[in-house]
Amino acid sequence: MARDFSWIRPEPWGIHVVPADCWIDPSRPVDRALVTHGHADHARGGHGSTFATPETLAIMKLRYATEAGAVPVPYGERIALPGGVAATWIPAGHVLGSAQILLEHAGERIVVTGDFKRRPDPTCPPFEVTPCDVLITEATFGLPVFRHPPVEQEIAKLLSALAANPERCVLVGAYALGKAQRLIAELRRAGHRDTIWLHGAMERMCRLYEDWGIDLGPLRLVSEAGKGELAGAIIVAPPSALNDRWSRRLPDPITAMASGWMQVRQRARQRMVELPLVISDHADWNELTQTVVEVNPAETWITHGREEAMLRWCQLNQRKARALALVGYEDEDD
Amino acid sequence: MEEFAALLDALVYTRSRNAKLKLLADYLRSTPDPDRGWALAALTDGLDFPAVKSSTIRNLLMERIDPVLWTLSREYVGDSAETASLLWPEPTEAPSPPTVAEAVDALSRMTRATVMAELPRLLDRLDGNGRYALLKLATGAMRIGISARLAKTAFAQAFDVSVEDVEEHWHGQAPPYTALFDWAAHGAEPPNADDIPLFRPFMLAHGLEDTQVDLADYAAEWKWDGIRVQVVRAGGATRVYSRSGDDISATFPEIAEALHIDAVLDGELLVRGAHQGGEEGGAASFNALQQRLGRKTVSKKMREEYPAFVRLYDALIVEGKDLRPRPWSERRMALEALVPQLDPARFDLSAVIAAADFAELSAIRERARDDAIEGVMLKRRDSPYVAGRRTGLWYKWKRDPLLVDCVLMYAQRGSGKRSSFYSDYTFGCWDGDPDEGADLLPVGKAYFGFTDEELKWLDRYVRNHTVNRFGPVRETDRSLVFEVAFDSVHVSKRHKSGVAMRFPRISRIRTDKPAHEADRMDTLRKLIRD
Ligand SMILES: [Zn+2]
Ligand SMILES: [Zn+2]
């Protein structure tokens, strides 16, 4: 009998685990939500109960100030859900607390990757390849033009721009959850010991990372900077602040942005970026296709991103695949 | 090639003109010959490799990647060269990039038969940025906002020479411009150009503003509303150059064909037409001339419908004699002696205005309603012909501009010091009675804000009145009135409003005027002179 995996049903507003009546990363309030990670397009408030890693729940608490119904599930712990479904949260390597969710039912295994990457990241445990029958994967950077360079190369680019312009500062736009902290941690790993200055919107999330044991070194707020203190410094701000009035207070900033989209010149120019840093928290084309090969599922379902090219690749490689028309996922500024 | 690739990337991401100049100047100073010359030629579209086309890149990639994946990638990236540079397999060993000169040499040897085998060999020696630079260089489609003028200015800055000298010596030189670099960087004699129809930089005028001059010292002549050109004949060849030094001979072949005396002449290119310039015998308005501009080739029909001629202002060189150091009055005599020897269909003399004094000149200027007249020029009778703008020698005294009140529709960030302010504006006039539901039609675009206070005020206004955002553009709630000055207005099929202003500029912010009282399209249409 051909398997149809009908116990899991993608709907436009989330993936429905039918026997357990749970939803994965739903974009509307539900009774029971299984959340992969804390980014706003995956984790929303208002659910009856929310199953996620303790780190993700802490992030959600910070963002939505709600704790009701939080069910922490540490990485690797297999929990029983109603209807004979078991669920396990497995590291996805995307941001602090990010997980793939393995669902088991009636002898079938389905993995929902959420967002993921395969590169090492000092702020979260690495992606684990998990064999399964259906791999439900993202494809944010699912085009063969996306080949993210080694992060060390991009960090070196940032530090040399800083060294070459001692009178100026480098203002880096980075997504407030994940990218900002990874960038700071990578700068520390590269030996940069100076104070890194934060836009106000970055502060609480950085503190949260520190509470979870990730050392980010000396951090201060731009609003507390004395005259002249910002020259020769790195400032981290959300991408929306780059060309905002807020940035006018800075000493002749070099506008940088840390994002996988920076690989395409036109995208960087649209953002008025002078120093594009190709640093992504998502899998690039090679990582996506390599993951499908390694996991080797019977079927590959694609949640969001550039699914057309991934579908084509699966077709060329005789792999069964389909695109799910999920709504509400965005191209994060990753 | 790495340095050139790095320069290209830096230029792509740099917005300010000054920063671009500095990047270019640094590159020109620090890069050896002949690489810097080839790079300069590449940046100013001076290179052509017939064997390498945009389709070559596509065909090359089709041999290596699934066509569907190529198309999806190309559509997303938006540029074939960049897409190919990103898709090309990374070299397996450390890249050994060619120099720019090596790349140019290899590219110029390629034929359509060999390109598919030879180009990959170059690409395999480069990293991603290098591949991008190579493919841009090979296809000649840089599009990174480096005009010839910007490149020359950077060259002048790099070697501390005057940009006018660069203009003069640049012409007639071929890439990699070794003689030019020898002159500027190593103090050699400038390249010899007696037998080449070279462009000589124009002498320019300051606005008269409130100055009054004594007509005993200054001659007055009409300023015609065409395009300023220089016609040069030397070594048996004739060229027509635009004000920026671009060779536009192919656009106006009847002019190039008509000069048979070795000379360098300065004048206004005009088109004969129904809007006669009165007694002088017929110049059409600028709009008629516009039909002829920007064409690489020109049909017989075009030549007959819009015949071009040059109204001469000045003679720089006549039969080998350089008159530039001589006073204007002497050059004028030489010019008057020359014109009768020229083809009257193609050349005439811009008349000197006979006025006893400044008051009379002012009155003559007021009465001038000829469409081909843009204003009056005042030239010091003893002025030599010097490149650029020199205080006190030449003045232009334009006719009073026309004014309309327009409503701000869209705003965009400016450039340079205006780059963090919404300071570029699109404005419109009402297409009927706004109280009857008429809409605004955009009629022009200009920037405004010369003081920090104005910039800030306008920026705040735009932010507080934004109703829509399209990428970098904000649409406002159409509440602010600008007084817009312009030189003339013309019928235009390219604009939705059907009219185009020439030289629009915002002269005042009319906070005192409600938007619905701004001018209507009718007002603007009545001012059309075609
Ligand atoms: Zn995410
Ligand atoms: Zn996502």
Side-chain angles (χ1 to χ4, degrees), chain A residues 25 36-42 94-95 98 114-116 138 140 175 177 281-282 304 329-330 332 334:
Chain A
D25 292 354
T36 59
H37 69 289
H39 277 146
D41 51 334
H42 297 259
H94 175 56
V95 298
S98 68
D115 293 339
F116 75 97
E138 63 134 328
T140 306
Y175 207 57
L177 164 56
D281 283 335
H282 289 270
H304 63 303
Y329 291 121
E330 295 145 14
E332 291 161 6
D334 288 347

Side-chain angles (χ1 to χ4, degrees), chain B residues 473-530:
Chain B
V473 177
R474 283 176 183 240
E475 183 177 3
T476 69
D477 60 3
R478 303 167 171 207
S479 53
L480 187 64
V481 177
F482 287 144
E483 183 187 79
V484 176
F486 55 95
D487 284 3
S488 56
V489 62
H490 301 280
V491 173
S492 164
K493 289 197 182 74
R494 281 186 300 127
H495 294 79
K496 194 176 151 203
S497 61
V499 300
M501 290 179 172
R502 194 154 140 77
F503 299 132
R505 60 251 176 213
I506 294 162
S507 54
R508 275 195 300 161
I509 308 172
R510 294 288 307 262
T511 45
D512 56 324
K513 192 159 194 172
H516 68 268
E517 281 181 40
D519 281 305
R520 302 187 189 171
M521 290 303 303
D522 280 344
T523 314
L524 207 53
R525 289 193 193 106
K526 276 184 205 133
L527 300 169
I528 291 175
R529 314 232 159 212
D530 274 319

Side-chain angles (χ1 to χ4, degrees), chain A residues 36-247:
Chain A
T36 59
H37 69 289
H39 277 146
D41 51 334
H42 297 259
R44 293 166 208 247
H47 305 307
S49 50
T50 303
F51 295 70
T53 61
E55 295 90 336
T56 297
L57 290 172
I59 291 165
M60 289 177 75
K61 183 184 164 198
L62 184 72
R63 293 200 147 175
Y64 307 113
T66 53
E67 252 179 304
V71 183
V73 190
Y75 286 127
E77 197 179 298
R78 190 164 181 267
I79 62 160
L81 294 171
V85 178
T88 314
W89 273 251
I90 297 166
H94 175 56
V95 298
L96 178 69
S98 68
Q100 319 170 62
I101 300 176
L102 165 66
L103 298 157
E104 294 167 279
H105 175 69
E108 292 175 346
R109 290 160 62 86
I110 293 181
V111 167
V112 182
T113 65
D115 293 339
F116 75 97
K117 69 171 173 293
R118 305 293 302 269
R119 312 289 175 108
D121 179 337
T123 69
C124 60
F127 181 93
E128 289 173 19
V129 172
T130 308
C132 58
D133 301 302
V134 178
L135 179 69
I136 304 182
T137 178
E138 63 134 328
T140 306
F141 289 99
L143 271 179
V145 289
F146 291 112
R147 289 189 298 203
H148 304 324
V151 69
E152 293 78 12
Q153 180 187 315
E154 302 302 290
I155 294 290
K157 215 158 86 180
L158 167 55
L159 290 174
S160 73
L162 190 70
N165 298 280
E167 303 305 311
R168 302 179 67 181
C169 62
V170 181
L171 169 64
V172 191
Y175 207 57
L177 164 56
K179 184 63 58 63
Q181 297 77 22
R182 179 182 173 210
L183 177 88
I184 295 169
E186 290 289 358
L187 281 164
R188 300 308 184 201
R189 215 162 62 84
H192 185 72
R193 307 253 172 272
D194 298 356
T195 297
I196 292 175
W197 299 83
L198 301 178
H199 182 281
M202 294 283 170
E203 191 192 16
R204 291 193 309 162
M205 197 58 77
C206 288
R207 298 299 171 217
L208 184 143
Y209 265 63
E210 288 173 329
D211 292 344
W212 283 89
I214 290 144
D215 181 14
L216 299 177
L219 303 176
R220 285 178 65 193
L221 285 178
V222 169
S223 54
E224 295 164 357
K227 218 177 153 58
E229 271 191 298
L230 294 175
I234 293 174
I235 297 157
V236 184
S240 59
L242 288 189
N243 301 301
D244 188 65
R245 270 177 289 184
W246 176 84
S247 67

Side-chain angles (χ1 to χ4, degrees), chain B residues 360-380:
Chain B
E360 190 186 345
L361 179 65
S362 186
I364 292 172
R365 175 174 159 280
E366 281 304 309
R367 284 198 307 272
R369 276 289 164 257
D370 186 332
D371 282 308
I373 288 175
E374 210 190 321
V376 165
M377 292 293 296
L378 291 157
K379 300 180 173 176
R380 243 195 107 85

